Amino acid sequence: MNLEQALIQHIAEAIETLYGQPAQSVKLEHTNPDFAGDYTFVVFPLLRISRSTPEATAEAIGNHLKQHAAIVSDFNVVKGFLNLVLKTDIYADFLKSQWNNPQFGQTNLGSGKKVMVEYSSPNTNKPLHLGHVRNNLLGMSVANLYKAAGYEVVMANLVNDRGIHICKSMLAWQKFGNGETPESTGMKGDHLVGKYYVVFENALREETLPTIELAISGKWTPESDNAQTKYTAIYGQLQQATEEKQIAKLKDDIKELVRNQSSLMRETQQMLRDWEAGIPEVINLWQTMNGWVYSGFEKTYARLGVAFDQYYYESNTYKLGKDVVEEGLQKGVFYRKDDGSVWIDLREDGLDEKLVLRGDGTSVYITQDIGTADLKYQEHHVDQSIYVVGNEQDYHFKVLFLIMKKLGRPFANGMHHLSYGMVDLPSGKMKSREGTVVDADDLVQEMVDEAKAKTIELGKTEGLTETQLNQLYESLGLSALKFFILKVDPRKRMLFNPQESIDFQGDTGPFVQYTYARIQSILRSAEGLDWQSTDINTHLLPIEVETIQTLYRYPDEVNKACSDSSPAVIAQYCIDLARTFNRFYNECHIMRETDPIVKNTRLKLAHFTAHTLKHGLNLLGIQVVERM
RNA sequence: GACCUCGUAGCUCAGCUGGAUAGAGCAACUGCCUUCUAAGCAGUAGGUCACAGGUUCGAAUCCUGUCGGGGUCGCCA
C-alpha cells in the first residue's frame, strides 16, 4: 500500500540490475513543486558504483523504472536529480479506496504497546497559568498522537499536593483569611488559594525588607549559627565580587537566607513538620484547601478539554524510593557518605555526583521520582513512559533515567522526557513575584470573547440557537489558542503576546476549522444526490492530484508526530492540507460541475479532506464546527 | 566558571536523520464575491539562514570556535 516503499524497492532492483551491486539505503524525497514529478531520487551517492555522469546514471535508472515499474509513468532528469512521475491511476485508486474510510489516520505503529503520558502535574497552591496551558495542551495532544498510532495510553497526573508552597497558602489563610471560602467569596477555589499565596509573599516581603537591607550592608546578625556561617560566607564573597551579575546573584542569596530566617518562614516550616506528623488541625486545613483547588482545576481542565486516567498524589508517593535506595546500595550503584547521606557517582557518564537520600534518611525530589517510576511500572507495565515537563528540568531527568538504567530497570530505555520550552511574554519571562503571569482561566475567556466578537462582526451564523452559538464561540476561541501553542515545535521556547492576542486568520486553528465548515456546507447542498456510489474520475487535474497527494501523506505524518512527540507536525500538516484544499476549492467549482463523474469525484475528495482535517484537529484537542 | 539549549524576512514560526532557486502566516501594497462560506484565493515587496572556519560532489541542516538570548549547576521541587 505504501507507494514510497514500493518505489524504493524498484529503485533498489534497478540499481542491482544495472550496476551489479546491492544498493544501500535508497532514499526518496518529494519532488520540489517547481519540477514535474511526484518523487525524486538523488543519484549523486551512486556515481561511485555507476562510474558515469550524474545525468547518465539518472537517465539509466529512469529508463529501467519506466520499463519495469508499473507505477512509474514517466521521469525527467535535472542534473543529478531523477524526478519520477507516477501514474495518476494510483491517486484515483487511493481516493476510491480511502475516501470513506472512517479509520483513515489510525496507524499501527505502536500496536500492542502501552505508553504512559504524565503531564500537567500542578502544584496546589495557585491557579494554572500560561506555562501550564502549554504543558496541558502538549500532554493531551501527545496522548492523542500515541492513541492514533495504535498505542494503548495511560494519561497520568502527578499532583504536587504537599510541601512548603502549600503551607504558605495555608498559613496566610489561617492568619489573614477571616474564614473566607470559595462559597463566601464567589471565587474559584484555586484562585482563592492562590490569593493567599500572594498574601503570604507580600507579608513575607514586608517582614523581611528591613532585615534584607541590613544584611546587604553587612549589619545583620542571624539568630541561628548555621545561618550566621552561611551569611558570613556569602557576605564575604559579596565584598570581593566585581561582576554585576555575580553581585546580583549574591544579593539574591542573602535575600533568600533572610527570608528563610523570618518568623513567617519558620512558622511555615513548622506547619510542614506538623503536616508530616499528621496533626489533625493541619491535615484538615490542608484537605479543605486542596479540595478548593481541585474543584477549580477541574473546571479549567474541563474547559481546556484535558483529562486523565490516573491521578498520583505526592502526599502518597513522597516517601517512595527509599527501599530502592537500599537496593541500589546493595547493588553497589549507590554509596553512603560518612554523614549517612546516599549518593550516586555519575561522573563517568559526563554528569556529577548526585544525592539520592539525605543524611537524616529523608527523601529528596529524585528519591520519590525513582520510587514513582517503579510504582508506575508495577501498576501499568508500560513499554514507554513520557514525562511532559519543562526544559529547566533537563538535568534532573537525565540523571533519573540514568539511575533507572543503572538499577537495571527493564523499562529504563522507554523513559522519555518531553522537554518543552518556556512561554515568554514580550516583557520576558513570566514571574509570579512580579505579577506578570497570564492566568489560564482569564486567557481562555479572552479568547472565547474575541471569537464571539469576530463571529458577530462577520454575521454568518443566522439560524443558530443560543446554545449552538456559545458552543461555536467556545470552539473557535479554544481552537485559536490551542493551535497557536501547538503549532510551535515543543522543544523551542515560544513567545506569546497577549496584547496582539491571537489571530483568526492565516496559520490558525479557525482557518482550518473554516476549511472544514466550508466542506460541510458543500456536502449539505449535495444531500439528496447519489454521489457516493459512482465511479472515480481518473483524469484528475493537477490541483486534484496535489490534494490527494497531501491526503496520502497523512498517516506518515501521524507516525512522525508520534515518534517525535510533536503535535506541531500535525498542526503544520493541517495548514498544508487546508491551504491545498482551498486552492482546489477556488479553482474547481464542485456543485456547478456538469459531468456527474467529475462532480462526484470532487465531492468524495471534499469528504475525504474533511475527515482528515477533523482527525488532525482532534489530535490537537480541537473540535470542528459545522458552520462558522 | 562548567555543562545544556536556541539564533532563519520588520514580527511569529516552518524547513534541520545533508540535496535543486531557503518557505508560510502577520504587518505593507495590488487584484478576485450577481457562482459551493472572502475567517478564503491569487500576486508584489521583504533573507550575508548570528559570525568565522572545517567536512562534502553538495551545508540553514553535520563538526570546531566566536558573539548573543535562555536554562541548569540546592541535602528546593
Short mmCIF file of all heavy atoms in Angstrom, two decimals, chain B residues 15-31:
data_model
loop_
_atom_site.label_atom_id
_atom_site.label_comp_id
_atom_site.label_asym_id
_atom_site.label_seq_id
_atom_site.Cartn_x
_atom_site.Cartn_y
_atom_site.Cartn_z
P G B 15 10.15 22.07 11.31
OP1 G B 15 9.65 20.71 11.59
OP2 G B 15 11.02 22.77 12.29
"O5'" G B 15 10.91 22.07 9.91
"C5'" G B 15 10.34 21.44 8.78
"C4'" G B 15 11.12 21.81 7.55
"O4'" G B 15 11.13 23.25 7.42
"C3'" G B 15 12.60 21.42 7.58
"O3'" G B 15 12.78 20.11 7.10
"C2'" G B 15 13.23 22.43 6.64
"O2'" G B 15 13.13 22.04 5.30
"C1'" G B 15 12.37 23.68 6.88
N9 G B 15 13.00 24.61 7.80
C8 G B 15 12.72 24.78 9.14
N7 G B 15 13.46 25.69 9.70
C5 G B 15 14.27 26.17 8.67
C6 G B 15 15.28 27.17 8.68
O6 G B 15 15.67 27.85 9.62
N1 G B 15 15.85 27.32 7.42
C2 G B 15 15.50 26.61 6.30
N2 G B 15 16.16 26.90 5.19
N3 G B 15 14.56 25.68 6.29
C4 G B 15 14.00 25.51 7.50
P C B 16 13.30 18.96 8.09
OP1 C B 16 13.53 17.76 7.28
OP2 C B 16 12.44 18.92 9.28
"O5'" C B 16 14.70 19.55 8.51
"C5'" C B 16 15.79 19.56 7.60
"C4'" C B 16 17.06 19.58 8.40
"O4'" C B 16 17.13 20.86 9.06
"C3'" C B 16 17.09 18.50 9.49
"O3'" C B 16 18.26 17.72 9.39
"C2'" C B 16 17.00 19.25 10.81
"O2'" C B 16 17.91 18.77 11.77
"C1'" C B 16 17.39 20.67 10.44
N1 C B 16 16.57 21.64 11.16
C2 C B 16 17.20 22.60 11.97
O2 C B 16 18.44 22.62 12.04
N3 C B 16 16.45 23.50 12.62
C4 C B 16 15.11 23.45 12.52
N4 C B 16 14.42 24.36 13.18
C5 C B 16 14.46 22.48 11.72
C6 C B 16 15.21 21.58 11.06
P U B 17 18.05 16.13 9.54
OP1 U B 17 17.38 15.62 8.35
OP2 U B 17 17.49 15.88 10.89
"O5'" U B 17 19.60 15.69 9.44
"C5'" U B 17 20.15 14.98 10.51
"C4'" U B 17 19.99 13.50 10.29
"O4'" U B 17 18.67 13.10 10.76
"C3'" U B 17 19.95 13.03 8.84
"O3'" U B 17 21.25 12.93 8.31
"C2'" U B 17 19.29 11.66 8.98
"O2'" U B 17 20.22 10.67 9.35
"C1'" U B 17 18.32 11.89 10.13
N1 U B 17 16.92 11.93 9.67
C2 U B 17 16.14 10.80 9.83
O2 U B 17 16.54 9.79 10.33
N3 U B 17 14.85 10.92 9.37
C4 U B 17 14.28 12.01 8.77
O4 U B 17 13.10 11.96 8.43
C5 U B 17 15.15 13.14 8.63
C6 U B 17 16.42 13.06 9.07
P G B 18 21.59 13.37 6.91
OP1 G B 18 20.55 12.90 5.96
OP2 G B 18 22.99 13.07 6.66
"O5'" G B 18 21.51 14.96 7.11
"C5'" G B 18 20.51 15.71 6.55
"C4'" G B 18 21.10 16.77 5.66
"O4'" G B 18 22.55 16.74 5.65
"C3'" G B 18 20.66 16.62 4.22
"O3'" G B 18 20.22 17.87 3.78
"C2'" G B 18 21.94 16.18 3.50
"O2'" G B 18 21.96 16.67 2.19
"C1'" G B 18 22.99 16.87 4.34
N9 G B 18 24.34 16.32 4.24
C8 G B 18 24.80 15.11 4.68
N7 G B 18 26.08 14.94 4.44
C5 G B 18 26.47 16.12 3.81
C6 G B 18 27.74 16.52 3.32
O6 G B 18 28.80 15.91 3.35
N1 G B 18 27.69 17.78 2.75
C2 G B 18 26.57 18.55 2.67
N2 G B 18 26.71 19.74 2.09
N3 G B 18 25.38 18.20 3.13
C4 G B 18 25.41 16.97 3.68
P G B 19 18.89 18.05 3.14
OP1 G B 19 18.08 18.88 4.01
OP2 G B 19 18.38 16.77 2.61
"O5'" G B 19 19.38 18.93 1.93
"C5'" G B 19 18.47 19.21 0.88
"C4'" G B 19 19.25 19.29 -0.39
"O4'" G B 19 20.30 18.30 -0.46
"C3'" G B 19 18.34 19.09 -1.59
"O3'" G B 19 18.48 20.19 -2.48
"C2'" G B 19 18.85 17.77 -2.21
"O2'" G B 19 18.82 17.85 -3.60
"C1'" G B 19 20.29 17.73 -1.76
N9 G B 19 20.94 16.43 -1.69
C8 G B 19 20.59 15.35 -0.94
N7 G B 19 21.44 14.35 -1.07
C5 G B 19 22.40 14.82 -1.95
C6 G B 19 23.56 14.21 -2.46
O6 G B 19 24.00 13.10 -2.21
N1 G B 19 24.24 15.03 -3.33
C2 G B 19 23.84 16.29 -3.67
N2 G B 19 24.61 16.95 -4.52
N3 G B 19 22.76 16.90 -3.20
C4 G B 19 22.10 16.10 -2.36
P A B 20 17.81 21.59 -2.02
OP1 A B 20 18.68 22.24 -1.02
OP2 A B 20 16.37 21.52 -1.82
"O5'" A B 20 18.10 22.30 -3.41
"C5'" A B 20 19.43 22.42 -3.90
"C4'" A B 20 19.34 22.57 -5.39
"O4'" A B 20 18.82 21.35 -5.95
"C3'" A B 20 18.40 23.69 -5.84
"O3'" A B 20 18.97 24.34 -6.96
"C2'" A B 20 17.13 22.97 -6.24
"O2'" A B 20 16.43 23.60 -7.28
"C1'" A B 20 17.68 21.63 -6.73
N9 A B 20 16.70 20.55 -6.55
C8 A B 20 16.25 20.01 -5.38
N7 A B 20 15.39 19.03 -5.55
C5 A B 20 15.27 18.93 -6.92
C6 A B 20 14.51 18.09 -7.74
N6 A B 20 13.70 17.15 -7.28
N1 A B 20 14.62 18.24 -9.07
C2 A B 20 15.45 19.18 -9.55
N3 A B 20 16.21 20.03 -8.88
C4 A B 20 16.08 19.86 -7.56
P U B 21 19.93 25.55 -6.73
OP1 U B 21 20.44 25.92 -8.05
OP2 U B 21 20.86 25.21 -5.63
"O5'" U B 21 18.94 26.68 -6.19
"C5'" U B 21 19.47 27.96 -5.86
"C4'" U B 21 18.33 28.94 -5.78
"O4'" U B 21 17.64 28.92 -7.06
"C3'" U B 21 17.29 28.65 -4.71
"O3'" U B 21 16.92 29.86 -4.08
"C2'" U B 21 16.12 28.07 -5.49
"O2'" U B 21 14.88 28.38 -4.89
"C1'" U B 21 16.25 28.80 -6.83
N1 U B 21 15.63 28.07 -7.95
C2 U B 21 14.44 28.58 -8.45
O2 U B 21 13.90 29.56 -7.98
N3 U B 21 13.90 27.86 -9.48
C4 U B 21 14.42 26.75 -10.08
O4 U B 21 13.82 26.24 -11.01
C5 U B 21 15.65 26.29 -9.52
C6 U B 21 16.21 26.96 -8.50
P A B 22 17.17 30.12 -2.54
OP1 A B 22 17.20 31.57 -2.30
OP2 A B 22 18.31 29.28 -2.14
"O5'" A B 22 15.84 29.57 -1.87
"C5'" A B 22 15.63 28.19 -1.65
"C4'" A B 22 15.05 27.96 -0.27
"O4'" A B 22 16.09 28.23 0.70
"C3'" A B 22 13.92 28.91 0.10
"O3'" A B 22 12.69 28.37 -0.32
"C2'" A B 22 14.02 28.95 1.62
"O2'" A B 22 13.33 27.87 2.22
"C1'" A B 22 15.51 28.77 1.86
N9 A B 22 16.20 30.02 2.18
C8 A B 22 16.98 30.78 1.36
N7 A B 22 17.49 31.84 1.96
C5 A B 22 17.02 31.75 3.25
C6 A B 22 17.20 32.56 4.38
N6 A B 22 17.95 33.65 4.38
N1 A B 22 16.59 32.18 5.51
C2 A B 22 15.84 31.07 5.52
N3 A B 22 15.58 30.23 4.51
C4 A B 22 16.22 30.63 3.41
P G B 23 12.04 28.87 -1.62
OP1 G B 23 12.47 27.99 -2.69
OP2 G B 23 12.25 30.33 -1.73
"O5'" G B 23 10.49 28.60 -1.37
"C5'" G B 23 9.80 29.48 -0.57
"C4'" G B 23 8.99 28.69 0.43
"O4'" G B 23 9.82 28.39 1.57
"C3'" G B 23 7.82 29.48 0.97
"O3'" G B 23 6.70 29.28 0.11
"C2'" G B 23 7.61 28.88 2.35
"O2'" G B 23 6.86 27.70 2.28
"C1'" G B 23 9.05 28.52 2.75
N9 G B 23 9.70 29.53 3.62
C8 G B 23 10.71 30.39 3.27
N7 G B 23 11.11 31.14 4.27
C5 G B 23 10.30 30.74 5.34
C6 G B 23 10.27 31.19 6.67
O6 G B 23 10.96 32.06 7.21
N1 G B 23 9.29 30.54 7.41
C2 G B 23 8.47 29.57 6.92
N2 G B 23 7.59 29.06 7.77
N3 G B 23 8.49 29.12 5.68
C4 G B 23 9.42 29.75 4.95
P A B 24 5.68 30.47 -0.06
OP1 A B 24 5.01 30.32 -1.36
OP2 A B 24 6.32 31.74 0.29
"O5'" A B 24 4.63 30.06 1.05
"C5'" A B 24 4.35 30.95 2.05
"C4'" A B 24 3.60 30.25 3.15
"O4'" A B 24 4.55 29.65 4.06
"C3'" A B 24 2.81 31.25 3.96
"O3'" A B 24 1.51 31.37 3.44
"C2'" A B 24 2.86 30.65 5.37
"O2'" A B 24 1.93 29.60 5.50
"C1'" A B 24 4.28 30.07 5.39
N9 A B 24 5.32 31.04 5.76
C8 A B 24 6.29 31.55 4.94
N7 A B 24 7.10 32.39 5.54
C5 A B 24 6.64 32.42 6.84
C6 A B 24 7.07 33.12 7.98
N6 A B 24 8.11 33.93 7.99
N1 A B 24 6.38 32.93 9.13
C2 A B 24 5.33 32.11 9.12
N3 A B 24 4.83 31.39 8.12
C4 A B 24 5.54 31.60 6.99
P G B 25 0.90 32.81 3.17
OP1 G B 25 -0.34 32.62 2.41
OP2 G B 25 1.96 33.71 2.66
"O5'" G B 25 0.55 33.26 4.64
"C5'" G B 25 -0.39 32.52 5.41
"C4'" G B 25 -0.31 32.91 6.85
"O4'" G B 25 0.99 32.53 7.37
"C3'" G B 25 -0.37 34.40 7.13
"O3'" G B 25 -1.71 34.86 7.14
"C2'" G B 25 0.28 34.48 8.50
"O2'" G B 25 -0.60 34.02 9.51
"C1'" G B 25 1.41 33.48 8.34
N9 G B 25 2.64 34.12 7.88
C8 G B 25 3.21 34.07 6.63
N7 G B 25 4.31 34.77 6.54
C5 G B 25 4.49 35.31 7.81
C6 G B 25 5.51 36.15 8.32
O6 G B 25 6.49 36.60 7.73
N1 G B 25 5.29 36.47 9.65
C2 G B 25 4.22 36.02 10.40
N2 G B 25 4.18 36.43 11.66
N3 G B 25 3.26 35.24 9.95
C4 G B 25 3.46 34.91 8.65
P C B 26 -2.04 36.35 6.73
OP1 C B 26 -3.51 36.48 6.76
OP2 C B 26 -1.30 36.68 5.50
"O5'" C B 26 -1.42 37.18 7.92
"C5'" C B 26 -1.98 37.12 9.23
"C4'" C B 26 -1.16 37.95 10.18
"O4'" C B 26 0.19 37.44 10.22
"C3'" C B 26 -0.98 39.41 9.79
"O3'" C B 26 -2.11 40.19 10.16
"C2'" C B 26 0.27 39.78 10.57
"O2'" C B 26 -0.03 40.00 11.94
"C1'" C B 26 1.10 38.51 10.44
N1 C B 26 2.05 38.57 9.30
C2 C B 26 3.23 39.33 9.47
O2 C B 26 3.42 39.91 10.55
N3 C B 26 4.12 39.40 8.45
C4 C B 26 3.87 38.75 7.31
N4 C B 26 4.79 38.85 6.34
C5 C B 26 2.69 37.98 7.11
C6 C B 26 1.81 37.92 8.14
P A B 27 -2.62 41.30 9.15
OP1 A B 27 -3.82 41.87 9.77
OP2 A B 27 -2.69 40.74 7.78
"O5'" A B 27 -1.45 42.38 9.18
"C5'" A B 27 -1.19 43.12 10.37
"C4'" A B 27 0.07 43.94 10.18
"O4'" A B 27 1.21 43.06 10.10
"C3'" A B 27 0.13 44.74 8.89
"O3'" A B 27 -0.62 45.94 8.95
"C2'" A B 27 1.63 44.98 8.77
"O2'" A B 27 2.08 45.96 9.69
"C1'" A B 27 2.17 43.61 9.19
N9 A B 27 2.26 42.72 8.02
C8 A B 27 1.36 41.79 7.57
N7 A B 27 1.73 41.19 6.47
C5 A B 27 2.95 41.75 6.17
C6 A B 27 3.86 41.54 5.13
N6 A B 27 3.67 40.65 4.15
N1 A B 27 4.99 42.29 5.11
C2 A B 27 5.18 43.18 6.09
N3 A B 27 4.41 43.47 7.13
C4 A B 27 3.29 42.71 7.11
P A B 28 -1.46 46.36 7.67
OP1 A B 28 -2.19 47.60 8.04
OP2 A B 28 -2.22 45.19 7.16
"O5'" A B 28 -0.33 46.69 6.58
"C5'" A B 28 0.53 47.81 6.77
"C4'" A B 28 1.34 48.05 5.53
"O4'" A B 28 2.29 46.97 5.34
"C3'" A B 28 0.55 48.05 4.22
"O3'" A B 28 -0.10 49.30 4.00
"C2'" A B 28 1.63 47.78 3.20
"O2'" A B 28 2.40 48.93 2.91
"C1'" A B 28 2.52 46.78 3.95
N9 A B 28 2.19 45.38 3.60
C8 A B 28 1.44 44.48 4.32
N7 A B 28 1.34 43.30 3.74
C5 A B 28 2.06 43.44 2.56
C6 A B 28 2.34 42.55 1.51
N6 A B 28 1.90 41.29 1.46
N1 A B 28 3.10 43.00 0.48
C2 A B 28 3.54 44.26 0.52
N3 A B 28 3.35 45.19 1.46
C4 A B 28 2.60 44.71 2.47
P C B 29 -1.50 49.28 3.17
OP1 C B 29 -2.01 50.67 3.23
OP2 C B 29 -2.33 48.16 3.67
"O5'" C B 29 -1.05 48.95 1.68
"C5'" C B 29 -0.29 49.89 0.94
"C4'" C B 29 0.18 49.28 -0.36
"O4'" C B 29 1.02 48.13 -0.07
"C3'" C B 29 -0.91 48.69 -1.24
"O3'" C B 29 -1.63 49.67 -1.98
"C2'" C B 29 -0.09 47.76 -2.14
"O2'" C B 29 0.64 48.49 -3.11
"C1'" C B 29 0.88 47.17 -1.12
N1 C B 29 0.36 45.90 -0.57
C2 C B 29 0.53 44.73 -1.33
O2 C B 29 1.12 44.81 -2.41
N3 C B 29 0.06 43.56 -0.85
C4 C B 29 -0.57 43.53 0.32
N4 C B 29 -1.03 42.35 0.74
C5 C B 29 -0.78 44.70 1.11
C6 C B 29 -0.30 45.86 0.63
P U B 30 -3.19 49.37 -2.28
OP1 U B 30 -3.75 50.67 -2.72
OP2 U B 30 -3.79 48.67 -1.14
"O5'" U B 30 -3.15 48.36 -3.51
"C5'" U B 30 -2.25 48.55 -4.58
"C4'" U B 30 -2.45 47.49 -5.62
"O4'" U B 30 -1.65 46.31 -5.30
"C3'" U B 30 -3.86 46.94 -5.74
"O3'" U B 30 -4.72 47.82 -6.48
"C2'" U B 30 -3.61 45.60 -6.44
"O2'" U B 30 -3.37 45.75 -7.83
"C1'" U B 30 -2.33 45.14 -5.74
N1 U B 30 -2.64 44.30 -4.56
C2 U B 30 -2.81 42.94 -4.77
O2 U B 30 -2.71 42.42 -5.87
N3 U B 30 -3.11 42.21 -3.66
C4 U B 30 -3.26 42.69 -2.37
O4 U B 30 -3.53 41.91 -1.47
C5 U B 30 -3.07 44.11 -2.23
C6 U B 30 -2.77 44.84 -3.30
P G B 31 -6.28 47.50 -6.48
OP1 G B 31 -6.97 48.71 -6.95
OP2 G B 31 -6.65 46.90 -5.18
"O5'" G B 31 -6.36 46.39 -7.60
"C5'" G B 31 -7.48 45.55 -7.64
"C4'" G B 31 -7.15 44.28 -8.38
"O4'" G B 31 -5.97 43.66 -7.78
"C3'" G B 31 -8.24 43.24 -8.24
"O3'" G B 31 -9.25 43.46 -9.20
"C2'" G B 31 -7.49 41.93 -8.39
"O2'" G B 31 -7.20 41.65 -9.73
"C1'" G B 31 -6.20 42.26 -7.63
N9 G B 31 -6.33 41.98 -6.20
C8 G B 31 -6.23 42.89 -5.16
N7 G B 31 -6.38 42.34 -3.98
C5 G B 31 -6.60 40.99 -4.26
C6 G B 31 -6.83 39.92 -3.38
O6 G B 31 -6.90 39.92 -2.14
N1 G B 31 -7.01 38.72 -4.07
C2 G B 31 -6.95 38.59 -5.43
N2 G B 31 -7.15 37.36 -5.90
N3 G B 31 -6.74 39.58 -6.26
C4 G B 31 -6.57 40.75 -5.61
#
